[in-house]
Amino acid sequence: MRFWLVSQQLALLIIIITTNALNNNETDHAALLAMKSKILDPFGGEALSSWNESFHFCNWEGVMCSKRHKRVTLIDLSSLSLSGTLSPHVGNLTFLRQLLLINNTFHGEIPNEIGDLYMLEVLALERNSFQGRIPVSLSRCYNLKHLLIGFNNLVGTIPEEFSSLSMLKRIYIHVNVLTGGIPKSVGNITSLEVFSAGANHFGGTIPNNLGQLKNLVELGLGGNQISGMIPSSLYNLSNLNILSLPMNDLNGSLPPYFGNMFPHLEWLQLHYNNFTGQLPNSIGNLTKAMRLAFERNNFSGKLTVDFSKLVNLVRLTLHFNNFGSGDFDEMHFLESLTNCSDLGVLGTDNNQFRGVLPDFVGNLSSNMRFFTLGENQLQGRIPPTIGNLVNLSILDLESNHFTGPIPSTIGKLQKLQRFFLSGNQLSGAIPESIGNLSLVNELYLSYNNLEGTIPFSIGNCQRLISLLLEQNNLSGTIPKELFQVSSLSILLNLSHNRLSGSLPLEIGDLKSLVVLDISNNNDLSGEIPSSISSCTSLQFLFLQGNMLQGSIPKTMEFLRGLQILDLSRNNLSGQIPAFLEKLSLINLNLSFNDFNGELPSQGVFANSSAVSVYGNNRLCGGIPSLELPRCPTKKLNRNFFSSKRIFVIVASILGILILFSSLVFYLWKRNRRERQSTTLELLPKESFVQVSYDELFKATDGFSSSNLIGAGSFGFVYKGVLDQIGDVAIKVLNLVNRGATKSFMAECKVLKNMRHRNLIKIITCCSSIDFQGKEFKALVYELMLNGNLEKWLHPYQVTSRLELNLLHRLRVAIDVASALDYLHYQCETQVIHCDLKPSNILLDQQMVAHVGDFGLARLYNPDMGISHHSSSMGVIGTVGYAAPGKLVVNLTNPVYFVGLIYFPFNYNSDVYSYGILLLEMLTGKRPTDLMFAGGLNIRNFAGQILTGNAIEIVIDPTILKSDIVIDQRDGCLIALVKIGLACSEELPQNRMSMTDVVRELQLIKETMF
C-alpha cells in the first residue's frame, strides 16, 4: 500500500514537472512571437521566415535552446538589416544567456524588462539606433559578463548600480550621447577587463578609483571633453594593452616613470590634448609598443627618448607640439629609430626642431611610407641618403631652412606621391631625376632660390595634380612637356620667376586644371594662345605682370567656369570683348594695358568693386562709378531703315511670335492633362521676412568683394552681419539669370520647415522691390565658418594647406548621409536634393557637415511623382554627379533613362550623387578629372583597390597620413569604397538606401575609431 502511494506521488510530481516544462516552453514560444511582431524586415520577412509553426522554435533561425529543457538560451540576429523595436516580452526568456542584435537598425528604448534575464551573460546591441537611457534594471543581471551597447543614440548617465555586476568583464558604451561624467562606481567593478567609453559627452575628470581595476587591459575614454590630469592611480594598471585618451582637454605633464608602468602597452593614444613638459625618457621602455600618438599637444624641450628597444613600433606621431631645444644635435633621436625595422609612419612636423638632418636618416626603416619634418627650423643640406627610403609615399620637408641643392637621389623615391620642399633656401637646378617620380601627385618647390630651367623630364610625372614652382629664380622657356601633363587638375603655379618666351599652344591640354598662375615673370611675351579655350575647368587664371600682347582671344568665351581673371600689367590691346559679361566672374582685373573702345556694363562690369580697368587711357563708357569718359555718339546709318531691311525684320519677328505662340499652346494642352500632380508653388509674399536692400547693403559693407565667399549660376554669396540676427551668409540672386526665381522659391519652400543638424539652416527669405524700384531676392543662412567641402578637397591656395584626415572625411560622410536619410525617409513629403556635390556641403566651426543649396530640389510623392516640372532637356544636377541618363520632357512624371530602359526619377538619384561624392572624398579626384577618359571613370578607378594592392595609387595621399594602423586603415578604406560603389550603381534598384548607408558608415567608424 505504501509503495503504491509513493508511486502515485512520484507520478504526480513527474506530471507537474512535465506540465511546468511545457508551460515554460510555451512562454518562450509566445515571447519569441511577440519579439517577431515588433521586428521589421526590409526583405519581406526573409530573415525570420523560419519563425513559424512549421518548425519548433528551437529550430528557428538565430535561436538556440538548452538540450535538456528546450528553453531558449541564445538569440543571434546580428547583421540581418532588421529594424523595429525590442519587445518587452524578451524579459520572459528567463533561460536566455546571450542576446545578440549587433549591426541592425533597431530603435526605441532598451526595455526595462531585460533586467528579468537573471541568467544573461552577453547583451550585444551595438551598431543600432537605440535611444533613451541605459536601463538601471540591467544591474539585476548578476551573471552579465559582456555589455556591448556602443554606437547607438543612448543618453543619460552610466547607472551607479552597475557596481553590483561582479562578473562584468567588458563594457562597450562608446559612440553614444552619454553625459554626467565617468561615475566612480565603475572603479568598483573589479572584474572589468575592457572599458570603452569614447565619443560621448561625459565631461568631468577621470575618476581616481579606476586605478582599482587591476584586470583592465583596454581603457578608451577619447573624445569626451574630459579635463584635468591623468590620475596617478592609473599608473597602477600594469596589464593595459591599450590606453586611449585622445581628443579631450587633459593637461599636465607625464611623470618620468610613465613608460615603466605599462610593460604590456601596445597602443598609447594621447593626441589632441593639452599635455605639456618633456616627453619622459621612460617612453623608451614601452617595448611592446606598436603605436604611439603624442601629436597636437604642447610637449616641449629636447627629445631624448631612446626608441631603439621599441622593435615593434609601426607608427610614431609627434607633430604639432613644441619639441626642440636649439641644440645642434637634437635630431639625434632619429638614430635610435633606425632600430625600429617596422616603422612606417614618422610624423615630426610643426615643432621647433633645429640643427641638421643627419646622414643616418637613410638608415630608417625601409618600410617607411610617411616621413614629415615640415614647419621646423632645420638647416644644412638635405642628405642624399634620404633616397634610401624607397617606399616613401609622403615626404614633407617644407618651411625649414634647408640650403644647397635638391639631391638627385630623390629620383629613387619612385613611390612618392606627395613631395613638399616649399619655404626653404634651396638653390641650384631642379634635378632631371625629378622625372622619375612617376606616381607623384603633389610637388611643391615654391619659395626657394632654385634656378635654371624647368626640366623637360617633368613631363614624365603623368599623375601630377598640383605643381608649385612660384617665387624662385627659374628662367628660360616653359617646356611644352609640362603643359602635356594632362593630370594637372588643381593648381599650376609658375609665378614670380624669370621665365621668358611665349606660352606654348599645348596650354590647351590642361583641360582639368582649376588654377593657373603664370603671373609676374616679366619676360613672358607673345599672345595669349587661343588654345586656352580648351581649359574648360579653369576657375582662376592669373597672367598679370608679364609682357603679353595682342587682344583677349575670343575663344576665352568658352571658359564658362572662370571666376577670377587677372590680365593686368601687360601690353594687351584692342577692345574688351563683350563675352566677358556672360562669364561667372567675381573679379576681373584688366588694369594697366592698352585696351580701347567702349567698356561693357553688364555682368561683372556692373560691379565697380569687382572690376579694375585703371591705366587704360583709351577706354570709355561703362557704369558711372568707374568714372570713364563718355563714348562718342555714333551717327545713325540711314540705309539701316531701307524697305528691304524692314521687311526682313518684320518677317523674323512674326516668325518668332508664331513659334512662341505654338509652344505656349502646346504646353498649355499638356498641363491640362496633368493628374494629381503637385507643383512647387511660389510662396506668398506675406511669408517672407521683409529685409530691405539697404539692410543687406549695410550688412555686407556694400556687397564688398572682401565679403564675397561664393558665386553660383544664380547669384553671389556674401558674409555679413545683420543687426537683428548676427553673423550670416547672404545669397543675393541675380534675377536676370534664367531660373533664379524658381531656384529661390524651391530653396525657401524646401528648407522652410526642415530641421536637422546636418541641413543648412535658412534664417529668412527676403523679397522686396525697394531697390531703385526693382525687385531683388535674397536668402539668409547661418554662416558656415569653414566654408564648403570643395575647398577642403581641392584647395587652390597652399599658403595654409587644408587637410582632411580619414576620420574627418568619415564624419562628413556620415553627416551627409544622415541628412539625405532624413530628406528621403523622415519627412512628410520626400525631398530630392538633385545637386549633391562638394561645393554644396558646408562645414561649421566644429567641422560638422551641412547639406545646402536646395535651388534644384524636388518634392517627391511616390504615388504622384515630382512636384517640379521641367520644360527643357538636360541632366538634373551637375555633370559628373548627376545619375546616368538624360532628362526627358514629361510634364506628368519626368523620367530619365539608362540605355533603352526608363526609370522614374526619385531619391535614388541622390544616392548616386552621394556615391560619387564619397569616392571623390576618398580618391581626392573630381569625377570630371581629365584622367577619366577612354573608359576609365571614378568608379572603376576607385574599384581597383578591391582587386589588388592599389591603395597608394587610388587613395588621396592626405588620408594615408592618418594616424591609424595600416591594416585597419586599409580595411576601412576598402569598406568605404564598397559603399561608394554600391551607391553609384548604374541601375537605380541596385543602389543602397541612405538608411543602410548611415548604418554601415557608423559601423565602420565604431570599428576603426
Side-chain angles (χ1 to χ4, degrees), residues 731-745:
K731 180 195 283 188
V732 181
L733 281 85
N734 184 353
L735 300 182
V736 175
N737 291 339
R738 182 182 178 188
T741 298
K742 186 177 291 185
S743 171
F744 172 75
M745 296 304 173

Side-chain angles (χ1 to χ4, degrees), residues 905-927:
F905 182 83
N906 58 28
Y907 52 81
N908 280 319
S909 308
D910 279 351
V911 177
Y912 180 89
S913 301
Y914 178 83
I916 298 299
L917 172 70
L918 182 57
L919 295 179
E920 180 176 359
M921 291 171 62
L922 296 172
T923 64
K925 299 186 184 302
R926 294 181 177 86

